[in-house]
Amino acid sequence: MGTRTFFHHREEEQKEERQQSLQMTSTTRKKKFKTSEEEETFSLSDLSIASALALTSEIAQDYKIRREAAILELEQRGQKRILFGNDMEKLEEEVIRICRLLRVRADRRALRRKAVEKARAEKEYIELRSGRPPMFWIPLRVHAVWEKMEVKLACTVLASPPPQVTWYKNGVRIDPRLAPAGKYKIKNKFGMLTLHISRCSMEDSAEYSVEVKNQYGEAYSFATVLVRKYYGMESGFDSEIYRRSLMAREADFAFPMKPLFSREKEPFTLSCYFSSDLLEHQRDITWFRDGELLQNSECRELKYQDQEASLTVSCAYKEDEGFYTIRVPSLDGYKEQTTYVFVKDAAAETAGAPGSPLNLKCHDVNKDCLILSWVAPSDNGGSPILGYYIERCVAGSEDWVPCNDKPVKTCRYPVLGLAEGQTYQFRVKAVNKEGISHPSKTSDPVTTYDPSKDKRVTVIPYDEGRMIEIFKDDLEGHIKIPLPPTNVHASEVREDYVALAWDEPDPRGREPLNYYVEKLIVGSNSWQMVNLDMPVNSPRFALFDLVKGKSYCFRVRSANKYGISEPSLPTEPVTAGGKLATLPPPSQVLAFRDTKTSVVLQWDKLKDGLEPLGYYIYCRETGTEEWQTVNNKPVTCNEFTVPGLQPGKEYVFCVKSVNEAGLSESSPETDPIVVRPAIACPSAPHGFVLLNCGKADMTIGWKPPKRKGGTKILGYFLDQHDTSELDWHEVNIQPIPQRVYTVSNLEEGHMYEFRARAMNMAGVGEVSEPSDLFKCEEWTMPEPGPPYDVKCTEVRDSSLKLHWEAPLYIGAGPVTGYYVDMCEEGSEEWKQINKQSIATTHMKVSDLETGKCYIFRVRALNKAGIGPPSLPSDPVVAKTKPGTKEIELGVDEEGFIYMAFEAPEKNDSSEFIWSKDYEGPPDADRVQTEEKGNKSKLILKDPSEKDLGIYSVEVTDVDDDISASCTLTKEDLDKLLKRSHEIRNPLIKLISGWNIDILEKGEVRLWLEVEKLSPNAELHLIFNDKELTSTPTHKINFVKGKGLVELIIQNFCDDDKGTYTAQLQDGKAKNQFTLVLLDECFDKVAEEADAKRREWKKKQGPHFIENLKCKVTENCEVLLTCKATNLRKDTSFQWFFNKKARAGGVFDPQTGIGTLRIKKITKADEGQYKALVSDDRGEDYTQLDLTKGAFEDLLKELCRISALSATPLKIQPTEEGIKIYTDVKYYTDYMKTTWYHK
């Protein structure tokens, strides 16, 4: 009874405590304060923070002392009560006061917004009444600032209504969103326009302009900003930087970095070369990939050595693909270069398997689950990707465990069942119908944790470094049975799963929570618990294997050690199996020329706010069907340069969008584009030279631009400058097509300099540097003037061809020869090549050292002597360039002898210039030229010895020399003429001559085999001067695709004796083949055919399978046997002896064995024995010849067996005398007996 009373009192106390706790909670929740705009609700944690603020700000020191004394007194009585009773009431009053203060502030903000809105409306009304075009009251002004300082450009504009303002830098619109964060700040306050530029660099030196416009007009203002470099206190002539700049020149990039092509799981090294050793201040080299700074790591090494900076990746993955930038410090900032590294898929273990996924990342990490995402591979192996398999392992181990049994359709997957605090790594494999890909790169290690742990702790600093930590667990210790979760919703709905998310109950309580998920099929009233055996520790859960097309509702219950909560509110109906759609492809893809090995692609971004993960680019050569992947890592931009293409080849491109559902359909193909350099303005001419001079005129020559802009140079504009004047003057208004021009109306004795611009279809190029000063003074020297336009063609490893033009001034007499000088680049020592002068304006230079750079010049000779040297040629390296083409010498399909040359790098305006013996074009009556695409063909019309010589070809309007030559010799011409005759008079090639086969029925097959023929081939089969046609008895078969000719003769007889000739023609190709069937050859074929015919006919009815044979038995009887088959009941069997029927034979129809027994053979039994089997289907016979030798052999066998059967000699007295005898089994008078005595 006492125990029951105790428990009863205990239950009453707990009940009273719970009521008091609930009352406090409900009181707190009722404190809601409504402003003029919104209703704000303060949770228990908000009130706790407010109370802490109140305690730290307004509790008096004496109150703290009294509070500590009260706590001490309570502890002495064994109780611990804090902030209860009056203290709690004071705290609540303070919280209410703070909340009212917040409400007042919110009301003031609302009133201020209303006032501003009213003022804005009033201002618009006033502006509408007075409209005026923009006018700058105070324009922009010039600024000069030091580097890393800030500059503010300001101006004042008057306009009504307020104008639209646009800022420009060097004519390019300034968009702060595209610049680094905080670089530009643009403001417009009451007509004051400002552009704020932060941390100026040398690149910010430019002309800035502002454009203002409204419906009444527009106005502009310009200003220049100059950014100066500040070198510190040590700047000037005594500074270290100045001394360093005098001692050594800063290193620059030797040449641009080229794109690098690597393969997955293989190493690659990206190198950048410098013109000289880097100075000390330049060695802080940095590398970036797609804007991300790269550091040394286990798989990546950054190194600088011997004027080379390199980045080495020991094991490449597709994540390593991207734009790589190297940045080198310099005195005025930094220099950088960028290139793209491509990482191709590793070779598949199974043919047709897809490439590996990439960019594997972990999201929404919780205590026991997380979400994985990845990017689909660009190469599906030729068949659609069916899904993905996910594997995981504990970090540091190689024990990979599968996470899914069925392939996942999309590139996102929730992984459940993880252990809290454990570190994991993941990888993914793609699968199609052919097989499984290589695994992706392993994800970064990720540790599971509780992300809400930090949110449940509030830290409040106070009193100079001291802090108060408020733990929600301490405030919620009174919660026993948990409340239900809130905000339960489907965060992701995929084809394979539905992911649920919810918020923890608030208050949650001190004890750890688990969750149970329940589902309901819409339309039913039965809730089913999904994870009864596996409670969830995190507010996340994914459901698999839901019925596609059905709608579900979900709810969640919280549980701790005290019990389980009521269910949460159900979610909205969710339809399972909804397939995530792939994105549409880009609508328009355009291809533009870039360089001789690359093409620039541009495409429109997706509309309707669709954001892809990136884009994959594909290309194929025109005429092929197989698409090649360009990039294996999606690019996020909408412009890309595709490198590594074949010059002169034609390509088409397409682009695919990438999202979690995979790859989109291909975009429309681009128009076919030939890989050639983009058309641009030419560079400046150079190398001006004075070729002739009169009293008032000068003839000037110059060299063409080094960069022609990818098209033909249309002409030049020449300027002249008299040193006695200030200004330059135009020489010509219309462009000069040639590079030699005579300038007239000059002042004798004056000094002139010249400059020029080149023009092509893209426009007028850069102006050249001024020439040297030339004096206008008439030439009267007897020696010839300088040759000009010295150039090198056909540059190979050890030789080249040198060309020049004859001098325009010949002096005292005609030019009789030329001397050629040569020197190595960097040297001033000229060496004369030819000891004797040459009369031509071209020369082959041989015995050059491969890889060395040379310069040439030419001097002209006449009877008065040697004239001045020409302007030196441009430096040329003696080395055969990769991809150099040579002239092809051959015979075409029509039998014409030709010389062909292919130039993939030619431009649209380029021409092929053919020459014979370097003296000009070949005779048009003897040759014909044809051009198709990048190939030119020179055809000899009537080849003869007149066509022997050196043929050369050169391609015009290209930056690099494209030329070649070949020598046509008598030997070459003879071979080509022979080949031409074979082509014009071709013979059909014989593979197998006439063959004779005897078929099973006795038919004779005559056949031959030649090379494969076209469908238009013809056959004429001639027999004894008459053409045969196919008949049932003489069937002709002509299989053109196999080159087979056959004649099948049914009944081969004497009428078929003769000569057979097969005449074949296929286009121009002809041939004939003859078979003679006469005499012994015919007789042999006829005999074999007759035997085969009889044999076949025999086998159609009863016939013998064992021929007739004889045997002598031990009883000295002769037994004749044979065996027949294919018998019927009506089949008869007969024996014949010497063509007469003979009785006494035995025949067994079951076994088909016939037997004829001769008990005592005599001379009368010698002859021909025959067995005949017949019925209505036919007959067959077998014969045995027992005559002459065969019969003698039979008797010998009988004698042998008889002798072996003889008994011992016996003696018997008779009337005549003594009889000596022996008994034998067989004896006839034909047997010979010989007696021997002693």
Side-chain angles (χ1 to χ4, degrees), residues 872-1149:
S873 68
D874 291 334
V876 60
V877 178
K879 185 175 182 181
T880 304
K881 294 182 180 179
T884 298
K885 303 286 186 180
E886 299 294 346
I887 294 178
E888 174 191 357
L889 194 61
V891 181
D892 63 15
E893 297 176 353
E894 301 296 327
F896 289 103
I897 298 175
Y898 70 86
M899 283 167 277
F901 184 70
E902 185 178 7
E905 298 88 353
K906 74 179 284 290
N907 301 318
D908 294 336
S909 61
S910 297
E911 296 179 359
F912 292 91
I913 306 298
W914 287 90
S915 175
K916 184 183 178 186
D917 297 327
Y918 301 102
E919 299 299 334
D923 187 357
D925 295 334
R926 304 199 59 81
V927 298
Q928 176 185 349
T929 57
E930 293 181 358
E931 288 189 19
K932 185 177 181 180
N934 300 328
K935 196 169 186 179
S936 177
K937 185 185 289 186
L938 185 73
I939 301 173
L940 303 181
K941 294 180 179 180
D942 185 17
S944 66
E945 293 187 5
K946 295 180 180 180
D947 297 308
L948 301 181
I950 301 174
Y951 290 84
S952 61
V953 63
E954 184 178 355
V955 180
T956 64
D957 303 325
V958 290
D959 295 338
D960 298 325
D961 170 62
I962 303 177
S963 57
S965 66
C966 73
T967 302
L968 181 62
T969 63
K970 181 68 168 60
E971 183 181 358
D972 294 333
L973 183 61
D974 291 341
K975 291 180 180 178
L976 293 171
L977 287 173
K978 181 180 179 181
R979 177 63 179 153
S980 174
H981 182 268
E982 292 175 353
I983 292 176
R984 292 180 176 180
N985 303 280
L987 292 177
I988 296 176
K989 183 180 178 182
L990 178 66
I991 296 177
S992 178
W994 279 108
N995 296 272
I996 303 174
D997 294 336
I998 309 300
L999 304 182
E1000 184 183 9
K1001 297 180 181 181
E1003 300 166 322
V1004 176
R1005 176 177 179 253
L1006 310 179
W1007 65 276
L1008 62 85
E1009 184 181 4
V1010 297
E1011 60 184 331
K1012 294 180 180 180
L1013 302 176
S1014 71
N1016 298 323
E1018 297 179 0
L1019 167 68
H1020 298 279
L1021 192 56
I1022 309 300
F1023 172 62
N1024 292 340
D1025 298 330
K1026 293 183 180 180
E1027 184 173 355
L1028 292 178
T1029 57
S1030 183
T1031 64
T1033 59
H1034 291 71
K1035 186 177 180 181
I1036 300 174
N1037 292 325
F1038 184 26
V1039 184
K1040 302 175 184 178
K1042 296 182 179 179
L1044 179 64
V1045 178
E1046 65 177 4
L1047 171 64
I1048 299 175
I1049 305 174
Q1050 291 281 356
N1051 298 310
F1052 193 74
C1053 59
D1054 290 341
D1055 294 339
D1056 299 311
K1057 183 186 299 185
T1059 302
Y1060 295 84
T1061 301
Q1063 296 178 351
L1064 294 169
Q1065 183 172 358
D1066 188 6
K1068 293 183 179 180
K1070 299 178 182 179
N1071 214 336
Q1072 67 178 25
F1073 310 96
T1074 301
L1075 170 66
V1076 179
L1077 275 180
L1078 296 170
D1079 302 330
E1080 294 181 1
C1081 180
F1082 176 80
D1083 295 340
K1084 182 179 178 182
V1085 173
E1087 181 180 355
E1088 187 178 352
D1090 185 58
K1092 281 282 187 80
R1093 192 183 306 114
R1094 289 199 309 271
E1095 182 72 17
W1096 181 80
K1097 288 182 178 180
K1098 179 182 69 174
K1099 291 182 180 181
Q1100 302 309 305
H1103 60 276
F1104 288 99
I1105 58 175
E1106 293 183 8
N1107 292 326
L1108 190 60
K1109 59 185 177 180
C1110 66
K1111 177 183 179 183
V1112 180
T1113 66
E1114 292 181 357
N1115 295 327
C1116 293
E1117 297 176 347
V1118 176
L1119 187 65
L1120 302 180
T1121 61
C1122 60
K1123 186 175 182 180
T1125 186
N1126 198 16
L1127 307 175
R1128 295 192 313 202
K1129 292 181 180 181
D1130 60 344
T1131 303
S1132 65
F1133 189 93
Q1134 290 178 291
W1135 286 98
F1136 293 87
F1137 176 65
N1138 291 335
K1139 298 184 181 181
K1140 294 182 181 180
R1142 176 168 177 166
V1146 179
F1147 177 66
D1148 184 359

Side-chain angles (χ1 to χ4, degrees), residues 642-667:
V642 181
L645 303 176
Q646 294 296 321
K649 298 292 185 180
E650 191 176 60
Y651 291 85
V652 292
F653 301 86
C654 69
V655 181
K656 295 183 180 181
S657 306
V658 186
N659 69 343
E660 289 181 5
L663 275 60
S664 70
E665 296 294 328
S666 298
S667 68

Side-chain angles (χ1 to χ4, degrees), residues 38-308:
E38 60 185 355
E39 181 179 298
E40 300 199 25
T41 304
F42 299 93
S43 64
L44 181 60
S45 60
D46 296 332
L47 295 176
S48 301
I49 295 171
S51 62
L53 289 171
L55 286 173
T56 56
S57 59
E58 295 189 8
I59 297 180
Q61 187 67 26
D62 57 343
Y63 175 75
K64 293 181 180 179
I65 297 174
R66 290 197 306 271
R67 178 170 166 273
E68 290 175 359
I71 292 172
L72 181 60
E73 181 180 356
L74 290 173
E75 288 179 351
Q76 291 175 354
R77 290 187 295 171
Q79 300 179 5
K80 186 176 181 180
R81 296 178 58 194
I82 302 176
L83 291 178
F84 232 87
N86 294 333
D87 294 341
M88 197 63 186
E89 291 177 2
K90 292 180 180 180
L91 175 61
E92 188 172 1
E93 290 176 357
E94 184 62 23
V95 170
I96 293 172
R97 188 187 67 80
I98 293 174
C99 292
R100 286 176 176 171
L101 181 61
L102 293 174
R103 183 183 63 185
V104 171
R105 291 178 179 175
D107 288 339
R108 289 176 178 173
R109 284 198 299 269
L111 290 173
R112 188 179 298 110
R113 281 196 295 270
K114 289 181 179 180
V116 170
E117 181 67 22
K118 187 174 181 180
R120 183 186 62 80
E122 188 67 23
K123 182 179 178 182
E124 289 180 355
Y125 173 73
I126 295 173
E127 289 176 348
L128 286 174
R129 292 183 61 186
S130 56
R132 59 180 298 173
M135 182 193 71
F136 282 99
W137 186 255
I138 300 176
L140 294 174
R141 64 181 182 87
V142 176
H143 286 72
V145 296
W146 293 106
E147 190 181 26
K148 296 183 181 180
M149 291 180 61
E150 297 179 352
V151 64
K152 181 185 290 187
L153 299 176
C155 61
T156 303
V157 65
L158 299 178
S160 181
Q164 179 184 353
V165 181
T166 307
W167 288 88
Y168 295 90
K169 175 183 176 182
N170 287 336
V172 179
R173 182 178 178 180
I174 297 175
D175 189 347
R177 296 172 298 178
L178 302 180
K183 180 65 178 178
Y184 299 109
K185 292 181 181 178
I186 298 175
K187 293 183 179 180
N188 181 1
K189 289 186 176 181
F190 308 107
M192 173 70 76
L193 310 182
T194 57
L195 171 64
H196 184 272
I197 307 174
S198 63
R199 295 185 61 81
C200 290
S201 62
M202 302 301 293
E203 288 77 11
D204 292 319
S205 294
E207 182 185 71
Y208 291 84
S209 60
V210 59
E211 176 192 62
V212 290
K213 62 170 64 174
N214 61 11
Q215 63 262 40
Y216 298 104
E218 59 186 30
Y220 302 89
S221 181
F222 302 86
T224 301
V225 173
L226 176 63
V227 180
R228 296 176 177 174
K229 185 77 174 179
Y230 178 65
Y231 295 109
M233 297 296 294
E234 295 297 325
S235 60
F237 294 107
D238 296 330
S239 67
E240 180 64 26
I241 293 176
Y242 180 74
R243 288 195 298 269
R244 191 164 57 198
S245 65
L246 293 179
M247 292 174 59
R249 185 179 178 182
E250 276 192 332
D252 202 351
F253 296 109
F255 40 80
M257 288 193 300
K258 295 182 179 180
L260 180 68
F261 296 89
S262 181
R263 188 171 290 276
E264 196 176 13
K265 298 184 180 178
E266 294 181 1
F268 73 80
T269 299
L270 182 62
S271 298
C272 178
Y273 297 92
F274 300 98
S275 57
S276 60
D277 288 330
L278 295 179
L279 301 180
E280 191 66 30
H281 69 282
Q282 290 186 285
R283 299 199 175 183
D284 186 17
I285 300 173
T286 51
W287 287 87
F288 300 86
R289 183 185 67 232
D290 295 331
E292 178 185 353
L293 180 65
L294 300 178
Q295 304 285 354
N296 277 306
S297 64
E298 294 181 359
C299 60
R300 188 188 306 117
E301 181 185 10
L302 308 180
K303 188 171 62 174
Y304 170 75
Q305 185 177 4
D306 298 333
Q307 301 180 19
E308 177 189 1

Side-chain angles (χ1 to χ4, degrees), residues 277-487:
D277 288 330
L278 295 179
L279 301 180
E280 191 66 30
H281 69 282
Q282 290 186 285
R283 299 199 175 183
D284 186 17
I285 300 173
T286 51
W287 287 87
F288 300 86
R289 183 185 67 232
D290 295 331
E292 178 185 353
L293 180 65
L294 300 178
Q295 304 285 354
N296 277 306
S297 64
E298 294 181 359
C299 60
R300 188 188 306 117
E301 181 185 10
L302 308 180
K303 188 171 62 174
Y304 170 75
Q305 185 177 4
D306 298 333
Q307 301 180 19
E308 177 189 1
S310 62
L311 182 150
T312 301
V313 175
S314 58
C315 183
Y317 288 93
K318 289 190 284 188
E319 288 81 355
D320 295 312
E321 182 173 310
F323 290 98
Y324 282 76
T325 301
I326 181 173
R327 183 174 293 176
V328 180
S330 64
L331 292 175
D332 56 351
Y334 57 83
K335 303 173 183 179
E336 64 180 27
Q337 279 192 354
T338 299
T339 190
Y340 198 88
V341 174
F342 296 85
V343 181
K344 298 181 180 179
D345 282 299
E349 295 179 354
T350 305
S356 59
L358 65 153
N359 284 354
L360 184 59
K361 296 181 180 179
C362 300
H363 311 274
D364 198 14
V365 181
N366 279 274
K367 290 189 287 185
D368 59 353
C369 64
L370 54 80
I371 291 179
L372 282 179
S373 70
W374 57 91
V375 175
S378 60
D379 182 13
N380 60 10
S383 57
I385 292 178
L386 302 177
Y388 303 89
Y389 287 109
I390 298 98
E391 296 177 343
R392 74 167 185 261
C393 75
V394 177
S397 73
E398 291 297 329
D399 185 15
W400 291 97
V401 179
C403 297
N404 57 319
D405 299 327
K406 299 178 182 178
V408 182
K409 305 291 184 184
T410 60
C411 299
R412 193 175 179 90
Y413 185 76
V415 181
L416 309 178
L418 305 178
E420 184 176 0
Q422 185 66 270
T423 302
Y424 294 93
Q425 287 182 293
F426 300 87
R427 68 184 187 185
V428 182
K429 299 177 181 178
V431 60
N432 65 4
K433 68 178 184 179
E434 301 296 337
I436 300 177
S437 73
H438 292 290
S440 67
K441 181 182 179 182
T442 304
S443 70
D444 294 332
V446 58
T447 303
T448 55
Y449 72 103
D450 182 5
S452 64
K453 185 175 181 180
D454 295 338
K455 297 178 181 179
R456 296 182 59 80
V457 178
T458 303
V459 178
I460 301 176
Y462 80 102
D463 197 13
E464 297 182 356
R466 301 178 66 183
M467 291 182 296
I468 294 178
E469 290 186 350
I470 301 176
F471 295 89
K472 278 194 174 184
D473 291 348
D474 295 337
L475 299 175
E476 299 171 358
H478 58 281
I479 301 297
K480 302 300 181 186
I481 297 177
L483 297 172
T486 60
N487 191 26

